[in-house]
Amino acid sequence: MSQPHRHVAFHPNSSQAQRGHAISNIYDQDWHQPDYSTFFSNKSQGWPHRDLLKAIKNQPSSKWKALLSEQFSTPLAWHHDNIVPTILYFFTYDLIQYGGVKTATLSVSSLSKGNIYKTLSNHPLTYIQACDHDGLMQWATTLYESIDSEEDRWLIYNFLRFLPQLSVTEHFDISQFSSPFLSLSVDPFRLSVDQYFMTLEALLFQSNGSALQRLFCAVALILGFYGALRRGEVLRLRCQDIVCNPDNPCRFTLRICSTSEGNTKNKSTRFVYLVLPESVAKLVRVVRHIKRHCSPTTPLLGFENESMTSRQLHYLLPVTKALKALWGNNVRFHHLRHSGAHWLMQQGLLLVFDWDNSPFGVGDATQAMLTKQACQERFHFWLEGRDFSHMNDGLLFDVIGEQLGHSHYATTRWSYLHGIEWLPPLFLINERGFEHNELRYLLGIKPESKDVFRFLNTLTSKNQDIGTHSTLRLSGLEITPYLFKKKGFKQLKQISLIQDSFEVPKDDNHFLALWLSQCTENVVQVDNRQSSTSFFNYQTTHILK
């Protein structure tokens, strides 16, 4: 709490505003297949970002956003053999719409400065290569090292910094290109349990993905969130690396280790212990049941002999698309790990302070995860049925760090435990109130104004007789959302205090039924990409059941 650089916050997008077309297309193949009718694979390719610059060249900046929504509302498809022009198009689109780092509106000369596309034309990037972390980083390194001018390097650096905003390249790590003399940055975004459940439903409910693809994507989301696993750890997890507890089918033990497809980040093996809700655990058990006759070294997600690149493309990319469609372009698959780490720490701290329920204003699903029973169950691998008061609580942070694969708790604290808004409520049980003068100062209300009383009426419908010199009993959780927005009194009613909430399914077969409901009985199906072509559907409802 004493370190100012930890005091960061975020405001996630509302899922309702983002649902619709974007979420319905997460399983669609959004890239053009290579043209095998010709041997000339290196044909000259246009640069669509120049159309954007041409459209706004002679227009006032006040009309730019309207032009984008009218003439360029349809997203471009990705070219299989080179996606760099499409990335540059989206990069330029964002600069026009949102501006740069220092100003909200850039000039046309700044937008077209340096003709960056001429440099990028010598460094093509295939769609498949972009989906692979190592391949993408190697491409970026080659591109960056080919530039001599410091000015051009700065332009390329800003271009590379944009890559995580796109689903295809969301795993790009810009820190490798940042100056070591800069202060370390933090990435504070995390999902609540309610938001995770909404994403899980979105993955299972789409009809355009095949049955097994939707199931594998859902399990990838589950493992990434509850296990706080990295992308590579989810992909490399083998059938022999996940064990279901025979005494409790909702408990799973994961063995995270190096395989023939790659190594763990710290080159060591660790065991991760999961406790899942029954409705979620059933999906994981279904995957294990389907693959019960496979070789123990077969990856848990995917088909036999399916390449790692293909598995990234079909089981991780749709998850990333769903996260970005629901919660904003800044969200990445890695934020599932951040979220899992945060809620694991929350559960541990609630055990320390012996709380029966969470003191935080969270949604129903998140609140269910933070009950005393749920916290004890989550740490059963350590408690083994004992009460937490019988344990050496000084080991708690080390136990949590081991679950995340961190040798030192400092790594967990720095990289995953962002913000402090969740910390004081655990310590300040009888939180003090705010006096009139304090409240006026915080909200920017003039001393002679009576708006402070009307502000209280927006928070509660109770009529309280509050004197001029009395203390206002208003918790920090209630006032914090208003302070984040820093808006005037007249706009306070536009801010919602209600967080995303998802009611935990009482039916243990809820998600399983949702998955099967989008399957079809038709053995012959029409190809979505080419209506004149049909294919044999072996993933019918009857066979899956």
Side-chain angles (χ1 to χ4, degrees):
M1 293 178 67
S2 63
Q3 301 182 29
H5 59 261
R6 305 298 307 158
H7 303 182
V8 293
F10 62 90
H11 188 72
N13 288 357
S14 171
S15 63
Q16 302 301 324
Q18 298 292 328
R19 289 183 185 274
H21 181 72
I23 197 65
S24 65
N25 293 332
I26 58 176
Y27 291 109
D28 288 351
Q29 179 177 302
D30 57 359
W31 67 91
H32 289 309
Q33 289 281 25
D35 185 6
Y36 295 113
S37 62
T38 174
F39 290 104
F40 297 101
S41 59
N42 295 324
K43 295 183 295 183
S44 59
Q45 186 176 351
W47 292 89
H49 79 283
R50 300 176 71 180
D51 296 332
L52 290 171
L53 298 176
K54 185 178 179 180
I56 67 171
K57 186 175 181 179
N58 297 319
Q59 297 291 337
S61 58
S62 58
K63 295 183 178 181
W64 287 0
K65 292 184 179 180
L67 281 172
L68 293 179
S69 60
E70 292 173 4
Q71 301 181 21
F72 302 94
S73 58
T74 304
L76 292 183
W78 301 91
H79 287 272
H80 182 274
D81 55 346
N82 185 15
I83 67 171
V84 174
T86 308
I87 295 177
L88 186 55
Y89 170 86
F90 288 121
F91 176 62
T92 307
Y93 188 101
D94 261 37
L95 288 177
I96 296 173
Q97 187 171 24
Y98 302 110
V101 177
K102 296 182 179 180
T103 177
T105 304
L106 298 174
S107 64
V108 177
S109 59
S110 296
L111 291 168
S112 57
K113 186 177 180 181
N115 290 327
I116 190 176
Y117 70 95
K118 293 182 179 178
T119 303
L120 294 171
S121 62
N122 298 322
H123 299 275
L125 176 68
T126 66
Y127 194 98
I128 299 299
Q129 186 182 2
C131 290
D132 178 62
H133 174 74
D134 294 336
L136 179 61
M137 297 306 297
Q138 182 59 48
W139 169 82
T141 302
T142 304
L143 169 64
Y144 193 76
E145 291 178 348
S146 67
I147 303 171
D148 298 325
S149 168
E150 286 297 327
E151 184 178 3
D152 289 345
R153 281 198 170 192
W154 172 246
L155 293 173
I156 293 296
Y157 175 81
N158 283 288
F159 173 76
L160 296 176
R161 190 166 57 177
F162 173 73
L163 295 183
Q165 303 292 318
L166 303 173
S167 300
V168 184
T169 53
E170 59 94 22
H171 47 87
F172 180 77
D173 183 10
I174 190 60
S175 63
Q176 296 189 24
F177 300 88
S178 303
S179 170
F181 298 104
L182 295 175
S183 60
L184 294 176
S185 62
V186 293
D187 193 1
F189 190 87
R190 59 178 176 266
L191 292 171
S192 67
V193 185
D194 302 84
Q195 293 167 332
Y196 147 77
F197 272 120
M198 293 177 185
T199 309
L200 180 62
E201 276 203 340
L203 288 170
L204 292 171
F205 194 65
Q206 308 309 315
S207 59
N208 52 350
S210 65
L212 291 180
Q213 183 186 16
R214 289 186 290 112
L215 178 63
F216 290 150
C217 287
V219 173
L221 177 76
I222 294 168
L223 296 176
F225 183 82
Y226 284 100
L229 302 185
R230 301 179 178 92
R231 285 171 55 93
E233 293 170 347
V234 173
L235 280 175
R236 294 193 302 271
L237 195 69
R238 302 166 298 182
C239 293
Q240 67 182 16
D241 295 330
I242 178 170
V243 178
C244 182
N245 190 309
D247 298 326
N248 187 342
C250 292
R251 291 183 194 156
F252 297 86
T253 301
L254 308 181
R255 180 173 182 259
I256 309 301
C257 60
S258 299
T259 69
S260 59
E261 293 183 314
N263 300 320
T264 57
K265 190 171 183 179
N266 58 3
K267 306 296 190 297
S268 61
T269 299
R270 77 179 191 275
F271 290 91
V272 177
Y273 302 92
L274 304 184
V275 179
L276 307 177
E278 173 60 23
S279 58
V280 173
K282 281 200 171 189
L283 297 177
V284 180
R285 295 202 299 267
V286 164
V287 173
R288 295 182 71 249
H289 183 75
I290 290 174
K291 309 195 77 170
R292 65 193 182 280
H293 297 306
C294 293
S295 168
T297 58
T298 302
L300 179 70
L301 304 180
F303 295 87
E304 292 241 14
N305 301 317
E306 185 176 6
S307 68
M308 190 170 182
T309 300
S310 176
R311 302 201 305 274
Q312 290 185 87
L313 197 63
H314 292 96
Y315 314 131
L316 292 193
L317 183 58
V319 177
T320 298
K321 288 181 178 180
L323 290 172
K324 289 184 179 295
L326 290 174
W327 315 115
N329 287 332
N330 288 328
V331 186
R332 300 179 287 117
F333 189 94
H334 191 69
H335 285 125
L336 296 175
R337 175 171 165 84
H338 282 245
S339 307
H342 172 78
W343 297 116
L344 179 62
M345 175 59 72
Q346 292 275 21
Q347 289 177 310
L349 291 178
L350 289 174
L351 284 178
V352 171
F353 293 102
D354 197 26
W355 285 72
D356 292 328
N357 292 289
S358 167
F360 309 109
V362 293
D364 294 342
T366 307
Q367 193 67 255
M369 187 187 194
L370 299 178
T371 61
K372 188 173 184 178
Q373 181 181 356
C375 295
Q376 289 175 335
E377 186 70 18
R378 179 65 181 86
F379 282 91
H380 182 271
F381 69 93
W382 183 41
L383 301 177
E384 296 180 337
R386 294 167 290 189
D387 190 81
F388 186 82
S389 61
H390 298 163
M391 309 299 292
N392 181 355
D393 56 10
L395 298 176
L396 176 66
F397 291 170
D398 295 323
V399 170
I400 292 176
E402 288 176 359
Q403 289 293 287
L404 302 174
H406 297 154
S407 301
H408 305 284
Y409 171 68
T411 304
T412 308
R413 183 198 59 76
W414 174 265
S415 301
Y416 294 90
L417 304 180
H418 302 300
I420 62 164
E421 74 283 354
W422 50 271
L423 195 54
L426 293 171
F427 295 91
L428 306 177
I429 298 176
N430 296 318
E431 186 175 5
R432 70 173 188 84
F434 297 91
E435 294 194 4
H436 280 182
N437 292 338
E438 291 178 306
L439 198 57
R440 287 194 182 100
Y441 174 77
L442 290 172
L443 296 173
I445 299 174
K446 295 180 180 180
E448 64 275 9
S449 174
K450 299 295 184 182
D451 283 352
V452 65
F453 299 104
R454 286 189 283 149
F455 165 74
L456 290 176
N457 290 332
T458 64
L459 295 179
T460 177
S461 58
K462 297 179 181 179
N463 294 323
Q464 298 179 351
D465 184 15
I466 303 174
T468 307
H469 301 288
S470 63
T471 300
L472 310 178
R473 291 300 172 187
L474 183 66
S475 71
L477 285 175
E478 291 174 302
I479 199 173
T480 297
Y482 296 95
L483 301 180
F484 281 164
K485 286 294 184 180
K486 293 183 180 179
K487 290 188 175 182
F489 172 75
K490 293 180 180 179
Q491 297 166 303
L492 287 178
K493 293 183 179 180
Q494 299 176 7
I495 305 171
S496 174
L497 292 172
I498 302 175
Q499 296 201 9
D500 291 301
S501 185
F502 184 93
E503 186 177 353
V504 180
K506 296 180 180 179
D507 181 9
D508 293 340
N509 292 318
H510 173 76
F511 292 114
L512 192 62
L514 187 65
W515 170 56
L516 291 173
S517 68
Q518 296 304 314
C519 301
T520 177
E521 291 289 357
N522 298 327
V523 178
V524 178
Q525 282 190 328
V526 177
D527 193 336
N528 293 331
R529 297 184 296 272
Q530 193 173 355
S531 58
S532 60
T533 305
S534 58
F535 61 91
F536 170 62
N537 175 32
Y538 62 94
Q539 300 178 31
T540 62
T541 308
H542 182 72
I543 292 178
L544 290 171
K545 286 183 177 179

